Amino acid sequence: DGGITQSPKYLFRKEGQNVTLSCEQNLNHDAMYWYRQDPGQGLRLIYYSQIVNDFQKGDIAEGYSVSREKKESFPLTVTSAQKNPTAFYLCASSPPPGRSKGYTFGSGTRLTVV
Amino acid sequence: AQKVTQAQTEISVVEKEDVTLDCVYETRDTTYYLFWYKQPPSGELVFLIRRNSFDEQNEISGRYSWNFQKSTSSFNFTITASQVVDSAVYFCALSEAALYGGSQGNLIFGKGTKLSVKP
């Protein structure tokens, strides 16, 4: 079955380290997204990519970076510039507008700074 | 600017009660999409429904039903005869129409409503 795979499920980062969260999809979706979820805050958009080799900043892009070298992959790097990275990170992809199903989400990565 | 408001932060009901989760949205677009997602304790978001702005028909799927009213900018979600397995956080979300073919635009989420169904 097609879907989105996020890894790792849990990640611990030391102060000053960069870490990369993996997101892979086999749904043949063009668009992919990264969201951050904090308790009681809902989901906020970090970065999104509508097509390979192109991506745009979302509402809270500072301290994060992404790449989109392949259609299937959209890794997120949390840099040392992100001062409060502890959160739950969700990756998503979306089909063309004519499809009935909405966005598909991965199972998330929980990042903790230690 | 687009915005989604879920005024109910937490709701607690007893099993078999009906419960309605409210969602109010703001957008200047004439074409947009509305969504509901369920987030169980495992964390993954589970898609429940997507409606476009031109389709105001109410929808029913088993114990779930949705009431879309453009006049009040609301897209409310009702669970009939709630069950313990319905306990989760529910998110309402809004997206613009695609900027160009191939995507639906970005999702704007409400802050979610935590539903607890007690036996």
Side-chain angles (χ1 to χ4, degrees), chain B residues 53-91:
Chain B
S53 51
F54 296 108
D55 183 2
E56 285 193 73
Q57 284 191 355
N58 292 332
E59 182 155 339
I60 297 174
S61 176
R63 295 183 297 107
Y64 296 168
S65 62
W66 291 269
N67 184 350
F68 177 29
Q69 292 194 347
K70 289 180 74 172
S71 60
T72 56
S73 297
S74 65
F75 187 43
N76 296 338
F77 173 32
T78 297
I79 302 175
T80 303
S82 60
Q83 299 177 1
V84 173
V85 293
D86 295 327
S87 296
V89 179
Y90 290 87
F91 290 98

Side-chain angles (χ1 to χ4, degrees), chain A residues 9 20 23 25 32 38 42 46 50 53 62 68 95:
Chain A
K9 191 173 180 64
T20 297
C23 177
Q25 56 106 352
M32 297 186 74
D38 295 283
I46 305 173
Q50 308 278 28
N53 292 322
E62 186 175 350
R68 188 83 186 278

